[in-house]
Amino acid sequence: MILPLLLVAASFQDTTTLDASVAAFTGRPTGAEGGARTPVDARLRLATCPTVSLSWRSEQHDAVVVSCGGPAWRIFVPVIRPASAPAAIAASFVSVAKAPPVIKRGDPIVIEAGTDGFSISREGVAMGDAAPGGRFMVKVDDTRTPVQAIAVEAGHATLPGWSN
């Protein structure tokens, strides 16, 4: 007995629809300053999503995150940045680098992170110098690998992604 071979047509997300969504989100067409650098690659085989969500990857608006909750997938679409943006970002890093360090190598440090109703802190020793807002490594006694922290003030730091 020979069973018939059934071909099931796979349904994939339409990338041109994603391009239109990104253009609407950024307010700029693909290839224009402030818009997506290139169209979403049509070779992607993403499961069809009834509702995609879009958000900026960071405050610098350097990429759009297109994601689907069910089925779960996400892609990053790079955005063409204005020519003046890198200079502004570089200037902000220069101002942090020129500030005098508030934490010096060997200083005892308290790393704190938390929100309303939740707080956690750890003690450690600074492995380098850091100005306010600068990143440095902290050796915590009971761990083998150091922890990255952001200097807040003398003796105090926070974890990247947390603000106190």
Side-chain angles (χ1 to χ4, degrees):
M1 177 174 189
I2 298 176
L3 296 174
L5 178 62
L6 297 174
L7 295 176
V8 177
S11 177
F12 298 111
Q13 184 69 39
D14 180 22
T15 58
T16 56
T17 304
L18 295 178
D19 291 332
S21 297
V22 170
F25 180 78
T26 62
R28 305 291 299 183
T30 300
E33 188 175 282
R37 286 186 189 165
T38 60
V40 174
D41 192 342
R43 296 174 292 180
L44 286 175
R45 298 295 178 233
L46 301 168
T48 302
C49 184
T51 306
V52 294
S53 65
L54 292 95
S55 62
W56 290 110
R57 185 181 75 88
S58 67
E59 291 180 20
Q60 287 77 30
H61 294 198
D62 57 345
V64 175
V65 180
V66 182
S67 59
C68 180
W73 56 259
R74 80 178 164 180
I75 60 172
F76 297 86
V77 180
V79 171
I80 298 173
R81 304 273 316 255
S84 62
I89 292 170
S92 68
F93 285 122
V94 170
S95 64
V96 170
K98 289 185 178 182
V102 293
I103 295 177
K104 298 199 184 255
R105 182 178 180 169
D107 284 353
I109 302 297
V110 175
I111 305 170
E112 299 173 316
T115 60
D116 293 335
F118 168 78
S119 178
I120 186 167
S121 63
R122 294 292 304 244
E123 294 180 352
V125 177
M127 297 177 65
D129 297 350
R135 292 180 183 233
F136 67 104
M137 301 303 286
V138 178
K139 174 67 175 136
V140 180
D141 289 333
D142 59 349
T143 62
R144 295 180 111 181
T145 57
V147 175
Q148 188 179 74
I150 299 174
V152 175
E153 60 185 23
H156 292 280
T158 188
L159 295 173
W162 293 85
S163 61
N164 290 341

